Amino acid sequence: MNDTNAQPPLPDRLSIDPRSPHHVAAVFEHDIGIRFNHKERFDVAEYCISEGWVKVPSSKTVDRKGQPLLIQLKGQVEVFYK
């Protein structure tokens, strides 16, 4: 199973929210991983490699539209295909 040629390049900034301009649906067809400060994170909603931050949900708090509130964490961000 050699589908490495079919994988699109990982963008510098990516969001899981389809309403975001940084959402790339082709990337989500493959399994990706995000390592933040040398630890793999599974709750990342958005990341930016060049600026060095990730956005993660803040517990169970939601905004008035029902979307989870996100907090921004700064550090080293690495993104890879699994």
Side-chain angles (χ1 to χ4, degrees), residues 2-79:
N2 189 5
D3 60 335
T4 57
N5 296 334
Q7 295 174 339
L10 290 168
D12 177 57
R13 186 169 177 180
L14 184 66
S15 174
I16 63 170
D17 185 8
R19 298 173 295 160
S20 171
H22 303 290
H23 179 80
V24 180
V27 172
F28 291 109
E29 293 176 0
H30 306 282
D31 198 17
I32 63 171
I34 300 171
R35 197 172 291 122
F36 180 69
N37 289 338
H38 306 291
K39 293 181 78 175
E40 192 167 356
R41 300 277 312 235
F42 301 100
D43 60 346
V44 175
E46 188 173 350
Y47 73 79
C48 183
I49 298 171
S50 63
E51 295 177 11
W53 55 261
V54 295
K55 288 186 180 181
V56 295
S58 172
S59 65
K60 295 182 181 183
T61 310
V62 294
D63 64 7
R64 61 184 173 188
K65 295 180 181 178
Q67 301 296 321
L69 286 179
L70 302 176
I71 57 172
Q72 184 171 326
L73 305 173
K74 292 190 176 270
Q76 183 180 4
V77 180
E78 301 170 49
V79 182

